[in-house]
Amino acid sequence: MAEKDRLRTYRGKRHFDRTKEPQGTKEPRGAGESRGQDVSSDDGWHFVVQIHDASTMHFDFRLQVDDVLKSWSVPKGPSADPQDKRLAMPTEDHPLEYEEFEGVIAEGEYGGGTVIVWDRGTYRPTSHDRRGRPMPFDEALESGHARFWLDGSKLHGVYALTRFRGGEREAWLLVKTDDERARPGDSGTPDPRRARSVRSRRTLRQVAREE
């Protein structure tokens, strides 16, 4: 599917003369440029976790899949404890440039509120099919269960996204696997109002005040 079609919903919800959010022009980068990429590549695809102080406070979890960022709203944020099953509600695909976005979306606009980049880095798909063969990441997502290794400033190790409800109210769970980077009993998710951006070291309040 063409990039412009994959971002149609994203662009249709926004007025770019009123918001600083990117429209989307970047070419794919990372572990390949085609939907049939080698999932064993060491280059890694990009991921970002943003804190969004909108009508309700939440974390936005985004994974680069080809030319877009696949996105989920995670109300409680990612956890480093394998016992924590974090609800993740899918949202529209975002452009690659969105991993750098930090600022204030004007009141009255879609998603109005303050955004900071809480974590970012690269990830490697680790899903396999029933025969133990590496599985392309887009196929793993389509099947409803995808595993991936995160290498960020704050998040590390293998996580999994699992779809538990389909249809119009599609919903997923984001769960840390029990590996060497797990921290049982420690969610690893801070108070979002006190958390600092890995991009600018600012808090939500500081970004809102300065912008």
Side-chain angles (χ1 to χ4, degrees):
M1 184 181 295
E3 179 267 348
K4 64 180 180 181
D5 294 327
R6 299 181 76 182
L7 293 177
R8 180 181 299 166
T9 300
Y10 168 86
R11 290 173 176 145
K13 292 181 175 182
R14 291 162 174 83
H15 301 94
F16 293 104
D17 57 339
R18 304 175 191 169
T19 179
K20 296 179 181 178
E21 295 169 281
Q23 295 189 47
T25 57
K26 280 188 179 179
E27 294 297 319
R29 67 190 188 283
E33 296 187 0
S34 68
R35 294 183 66 79
Q37 78 269 16
D38 175 8
V39 295
S40 65
S41 171
D42 292 330
D43 295 335
W45 290 80
H46 288 225
F47 85 91
V48 64
V49 182
Q50 287 154 315
I51 299 178
H52 190 174
D53 186 10
S55 56
T56 57
M57 182 80 72
H58 63 278
F59 290 71
D60 287 310
F61 185 79
R62 312 189 197 281
L63 298 170
Q64 179 191 355
V65 180
D66 297 315
D67 52 5
V68 295
L69 295 171
K70 303 296 291 186
S71 301
W72 292 261
S73 173
V74 184
K76 294 185 178 181
S79 172
D81 185 347
Q83 297 301 313
D84 289 338
K85 296 178 173 60
R86 296 296 170 86
L87 177 66
M89 302 297 292
T91 62
E92 71 274 10
D93 293 345
H94 282 53
L96 298 180
E97 294 96 325
Y98 214 93
E99 71 171 285
E100 300 290 337
F101 177 71
E102 187 167 278
V104 178
I105 301 171
E107 183 178 355
E109 291 300 300
Y110 176 77
T114 307
V115 178
I116 63 171
V117 178
W118 179 69
D119 194 20
R120 62 181 176 181
T122 59
Y123 79 93
R124 291 182 287 106
T126 61
S127 296
H128 292 79
D129 63 20
R130 293 181 178 180
R131 296 183 180 181
R133 297 174 301 190
M135 190 175 186
F137 195 66
D138 54 351
E139 292 184 17
L141 286 175
E142 184 68 23
S143 74
H145 181 70
R147 290 164 55 94
F148 42 93
W149 176 282
L150 296 182
D151 188 11
S153 296
K154 300 172 182 177
L155 299 178
H156 304 277
V158 177
Y159 283 76
L161 276 165
T162 303
R163 184 172 56 229
F164 69 90
R165 185 174 67 210
E168 293 184 3
R169 299 185 62 194
E170 182 179 334
W172 296 64
L173 291 176
L174 175 64
V175 181
K176 178 75 183 74
T177 64
D178 191 9
D179 60 16
E180 67 273 17
R181 303 310 295 267
R183 297 198 302 272
D186 178 7
S187 70
T189 305
D191 176 352
R193 296 193 183 281
R194 300 179 62 185
R196 290 188 178 273
S197 163
V198 296
R199 182 171 179 265
S200 66
R201 304 303 303 165
R202 295 182 296 175
T203 64
L204 287 165
R205 182 178 180 180
Q206 288 172 328
V207 170
R209 184 174 64 242
E210 295 171 10
E211 299 195 14

